[in-house]
Amino acid sequence: MISHWKHHKISFLFVLLIAIFYWVFAYQLIRTDFPKLLGLYLALFAFTYQLSKSIGHNFKLILILGIGFRLLFIVAMPNLSQDFYRFIWDGYLTLNGNNPYLFTPKELMATSSPAIPNAELLYEGMGALSASNHSNYPPINQWCFALANLVPGNSILSSVIGMRILIIMADVGILIIGSKLLKAIQLPVSNLLWYFLNPFIIIELTGNLHFEGVMMFFLILSIYLLTQKKLLGSAICFGVSISVKLIPLMLLPLLFSYYTGGLKRWNKGWKSPKNYRSLFIYYAITGLVLTLSFIPYITGDFIDNYSSTVGLWFTNFEFNASVYYIARGIGFLITGYNEIALIGKFLPLITVGVIGYFALFKDLEEPRALVVSMLFVMSLYLLMSTTVHPWYLTGIVTLSVFTNYKYPVIWSLTVVLSYFAYSQTDFKENYWIIAIEYLIVAFYFFKNGRKLRQFKFPILPR
């Protein structure tokens, strides 16, 4: 009894420490104070790890603590990202019946005074880069911005609270649906702890108002419905997920192997035509959902504006990259110039090639194998990207819950090192620090991989 009481006292102490550190993080931290940011972040991971040892299998406690920690941020202004100003701006344009893809905030401010509450504050807060570019957020994400602005009040904080509620609801949805998916694929429900209590997820999504969690809720729901043979619901959710963020679009080809067994079936005889009909119907429904979400916005220069803005992320911007920085360095040695326009177009082709290989030649007919392949594809996409903001890791952190790979959790810890750049007056990155971030992840990935091969883990793509 005494040891039991001591055990719970220690758990309560860690809960209290985590709550205090989240409060300090939310209300007493500025992005440029990197030592404080790093200290708080590492401490939160350490405390959460210690807490996980005693509550790992207590689903209700994970739910209560996760919601409680998120609610500590409820009236805090995001302090690590200014993207939320643009979210609010776009949301008001949608509510006013305007197309957020047709004009940049800079153009609107120059020609008229937009009917947007706090327009000047939002314009200044989003920064010159965002203000001078067209919106690149897909339609359902735009609807989320608009819905958040319906929270009573016309202040920036009221919109922040609205977005925060939506993001928390999505996280709770991932916890609930994720528990069902884990049971369906015979993995421990306790895996969810490193999503729902992960400091990275709480800070980057609830704290800094990024909607990758909403995207992943619909993707996880889609995968779960797929395991339940509910093709229509799964395809609809997949389409919605893409319309929140475009990233899941790259995962659609993997369903070819899931439904048909891939080209290896040439040697064993084609599967029943029913499987190909199901695949066609799945793709058709997903495409229809995505198309319908875009139709209200396809006017004027929408296509040119949207495609050019999305393209900027591959050929103009660079931050916290890995393979790209190595390729860029080699390019400098050969040509003496930054070859981002060329390298930024070539690296995605590697990802496309691997996606095709997985879709055509790997056995992804089991849901667990499908999820592992999704994890690898999204990981490769990040490694080949010119820009990897911390919140971009949300997808692989979420998918890792449904596998035996935990390197995304380690990456969610080391990615905080990328914030060093914001502590510099010229936002210059330190490439040694970035190298440390990726070397730690690489070490853990190969260590994890060897361990799984040793036990002949059956679902790894070979």
Side-chain angles (χ1 to χ4, degrees):
M1 179 66 72
I2 294 177
S3 61
H4 180 76
W5 169 242
K6 288 182 178 179
H7 177 74
H8 281 280
K9 282 203 302 184
I10 293 174
S11 297
F12 177 77
L13 175 62
F14 282 122
V15 170
L16 183 61
L17 287 172
I18 292 171
I20 292 172
F21 275 57
Y22 274 132
W23 187 89
V24 174
F25 204 108
Y27 301 98
Q28 300 293 323
L29 175 70
I30 57 174
R31 185 171 63 176
T32 54
D33 191 349
F34 181 71
K36 185 175 182 179
L37 166 60
L38 181 63
L40 288 170
Y41 196 81
L42 294 179
L44 283 166
F45 261 88
F47 296 154
T48 302
Y49 173 72
Q50 292 299 323
L51 182 62
S52 71
K53 294 180 179 180
S54 59
I55 68 166
H57 297 280
N58 193 326
F59 182 84
K60 289 184 179 179
L61 193 54
I62 293 173
L63 174 64
I64 293 170
L65 291 177
I67 294 176
F69 293 151
R70 284 164 171 78
L71 289 178
L72 289 172
F73 286 84
I74 195 68
V75 294
M77 299 298 288
N79 53 13
L80 298 184
S81 171
Q82 61 201 60
D83 289 351
F84 70 99
Y85 290 108
R86 182 59 182 268
F87 300 165
I88 298 172
W89 177 281
D90 281 6
Y92 275 119
L93 288 179
T94 297
L95 287 177
N96 293 339
N98 298 318
N99 191 331
Y101 301 109
L102 296 186
F103 301 99
T104 68
K106 185 176 181 179
E107 290 170 343
L108 290 175
M109 291 294 289
T111 58
S112 62
S113 179
I116 295 176
N118 307 300
E120 291 187 4
L121 292 176
L122 294 174
Y123 180 76
E124 293 174 3
M126 70 178 70
L129 181 61
S130 179
S132 59
N133 283 292
H134 295 95
S135 183
N136 67 329
Y137 306 107
I140 291 182
N141 207 355
Q142 298 284 356
W143 302 347
C144 289
F145 303 156
L147 184 60
N149 286 341
L150 294 177
V151 171
N154 287 325
S155 68
I156 294 176
L157 180 58
S158 65
S159 297
V160 164
I161 293 173
M163 286 187 282
R164 199 156 273 150
I165 292 172
L166 291 176
I167 290 169
I168 292 174
M169 289 173 61
D171 275 355
V172 172
I174 289 176
L175 185 71
I176 295 172
I177 300 301
S179 67
K180 297 179 182 293
L181 178 57
L182 284 167
K183 291 176 182 177
I185 61 178
Q186 299 179 335
L187 285 175
V189 175
S190 58
N191 282 10
L192 281 163
L193 185 146
W194 282 105
Y195 178 86
F196 204 65
L197 294 185
N198 189 330
F200 162 81
I201 293 294
I202 293 174
I203 289 168
E204 292 295 352
L205 303 189
T206 299
N208 293 309
L209 300 179
H210 296 294
F211 280 78
E212 276 72 9
V214 178
M215 169 192 79
M216 291 309 298
F217 164 71
F218 286 106
L219 182 61
I220 296 304
L221 178 56
S222 174
I223 297 171
Y224 172 69
L225 292 174
L226 198 63
T227 66
Q228 304 303 303
K229 312 297 183 184
K230 297 180 180 179
L231 182 150
L232 177 62
S234 176
I236 291 174
C237 290
F238 210 120
V240 172
S241 179
I242 297 171
S243 193
V244 176
K245 297 281 184 177
L246 296 180
I247 297 300
L249 189 62
M250 74 175 73
L251 305 178
L252 268 178
L254 300 177
L255 292 173
F256 177 81
S257 180
Y258 177 79
Y259 272 107
T260 72
L263 295 184
K264 65 184 180 65
R265 288 292 172 182
W266 274 350
N267 298 326
K268 300 180 181 180
W270 290 107
K271 277 200 163 188
S272 165
K274 181 179 178 181
N275 290 23
Y276 295 97
R277 283 200 302 272
S278 297
L279 178 65
F280 175 79
I281 293 171
Y282 197 101
Y283 283 155
I285 294 172
T286 302
L288 180 62
V289 170
L290 187 59
T291 301
L292 288 175
S293 70
F294 272 99
I295 282 178
Y297 300 98
I298 302 178
T299 59
D301 296 324
F302 162 77
I303 295 177
D304 289 339
N305 293 345
Y306 192 73
S307 59
S308 61
T309 303
V310 172
L312 289 175
W313 293 101
F314 296 97
T315 57
N316 286 67
F317 303 143
E318 49 188 43
F319 178 78
N320 191 37
S322 55
V323 174
Y324 163 71
Y325 280 163
I326 296 173
R328 187 188 66 177
I330 296 172
F332 267 122
L333 291 175
I334 297 174
T335 68
Y337 298 98
N338 185 346
E339 299 290 349
I340 183 174
L342 176 62
I343 300 171
K345 292 177 181 177
F346 173 74
L347 289 180
L349 296 179
I350 297 176
T351 305
V352 171
V354 171
I355 292 172
Y357 175 72
F358 272 62
L360 297 176
F361 301 107
K362 288 299 178 181
D363 182 0
L364 307 181
E365 296 176 82
E366 293 295 325
R368 290 174 67 179
L370 178 65
V371 175
V372 169
S373 296
M374 288 180 172
L375 173 62
F376 286 173
V377 164
M378 291 187 74
S379 299
L380 182 63
Y381 165 77
L382 292 172
L383 292 174
M384 297 297 136
S385 296
T386 62
T387 303
V388 183
H389 289 299
W391 54 92
Y392 291 6
L393 303 185
T394 301
I396 63 171
V397 171
T398 310
L399 288 173
S400 71
V401 167
F402 308 97
T403 75
N404 285 336
Y405 276 97
K406 300 308 173 193
Y407 69 88
V409 176
I410 300 300
W411 198 351
S412 72
L413 169 63
T414 62
V415 75
V416 70
L417 295 174
S418 67
Y419 278 109
F420 173 81
Y422 294 101
S423 67
Q424 307 301 297
T425 54
D426 55 357
F427 296 101
K428 187 176 182 180
E429 295 179 276
N430 184 309
Y431 299 118
W432 290 107
I433 290 179
I434 293 175
I436 292 172
E437 172 193 344
Y438 284 101
L439 285 173
I440 292 173
V441 175
F443 171 79
Y444 198 86
F445 171 79
F446 288 112
K447 180 181 178 182
N448 194 189
R450 285 197 303 270
K451 183 178 180 181
L452 291 177
R453 284 195 296 272
Q454 176 184 353
F455 290 99
K456 298 181 180 180
F457 192 57
I459 67 169
L460 293 178
R462 299 174 184 174

